[in-house]
Amino acid sequence: MEDYKDNDDLELYNSVIEELNINHREKSITFQILKTISRLDRPGGFTYRVKKGTLRFEDVVHANIPYSFEWDEWSEFYRSAVLESSNVIDNVSEIAKGNKHLKHIYLGIDYGNEYKEMDIVCSNHYLLLDNQEYSLHDDFDWLYEE
């Protein structure tokens, strides 16, 4: 049943997390991200072409959010899956489920020296990307317009 953990359904691989916002009143979870469009390996490092974006989960009925920071590291998405049925959905209480069409969103996140898994059960999710592309060098110090 855990075959989905190698997926990248949301195509987030190597996308950098800039900010995480949990809004209990709105029952939403929002990530501000730098979505990787492409990667260029170069001697001694790499450069990502990225777009700023918002990854939002709405009408959240369940979430486990093991989040951490690591000095001199950026958190990056590694894997993602969107499931219509799963053990995680099955374990949500019937009251929370209501008559909603729920999805289980699995996110694998690389925190530098740690890899953690996040599960979100919600009714709606989307990714909005800005049009402008930037270069993000391996020092993750700043976005460069080129």
Side-chain angles (χ1 to χ4, degrees):
M1 183 99 180
E2 294 190 357
D3 294 341
Y4 62 85
K5 291 190 177 185
D6 287 331
N7 294 2
D8 190 20
D9 295 343
L10 297 175
E11 298 178 354
L12 296 173
Y13 182 72
N14 282 341
S15 294
V16 174
I17 300 170
E18 286 191 301
E19 181 180 320
L20 169 63
N21 183 323
I22 301 167
N23 188 317
H24 291 276
R25 183 183 30 180
E26 293 180 2
K27 294 183 175 39
S28 66
I29 298 170
T30 306
F31 290 91
Q32 297 302 319
I33 67 171
L34 302 175
K35 167 88 166 76
T36 301
I37 305 304
S38 63
R39 176 182 166 135
L40 173 64
D41 289 312
R42 53 183 169 71
F46 59 87
T47 300
Y48 289 142
R49 292 297 293 165
V50 299
K51 290 184 178 184
K52 290 184 178 188
T54 301
L55 176 61
R56 185 169 169 93
F57 303 94
E58 297 177 326
D59 198 15
V60 175
V61 298
H62 168 83
N64 74 319
I65 304 176
Y67 203 83
S68 62
F69 286 99
E70 192 154 324
W71 171 254
D72 214 21
E73 292 281 351
W74 282 64
S75 300
E76 299 171 277
F77 289 108
Y78 187 68
R79 294 287 185 246
S80 63
V82 179
L83 306 162
E84 298 287 329
S85 64
S86 72
N87 290 336
V88 176
I89 293 174
D90 292 344
N91 289 329
V92 171
S93 74
E94 292 302 320
I95 293 172
K97 288 180 185 175
N99 291 327
K100 302 171 191 161
H101 177 72
L102 298 176
K103 295 179 184 173
H104 169 198
I105 311 297
Y106 165 81
L107 301 170
I109 301 174
D110 178 358
Y111 293 101
N113 290 323
E114 286 190 73
Y115 181 80
K116 296 185 180 179
E117 298 173 335
M118 186 178 297
D119 295 293
I120 300 171
V121 178
C122 63
S123 294
N124 187 36
H125 72 281
Y126 59 86
L127 173 63
L128 297 175
L129 296 176
D130 294 349
N131 290 327
Q132 177 69 44
E133 284 191 19
Y134 299 92
S135 292
L136 180 64
H137 296 285
D138 55 351
D139 59 9
F140 294 102
D141 191 31
W142 191 250
L143 294 179
Y144 302 89
E145 290 188 49
E146 293 179 352

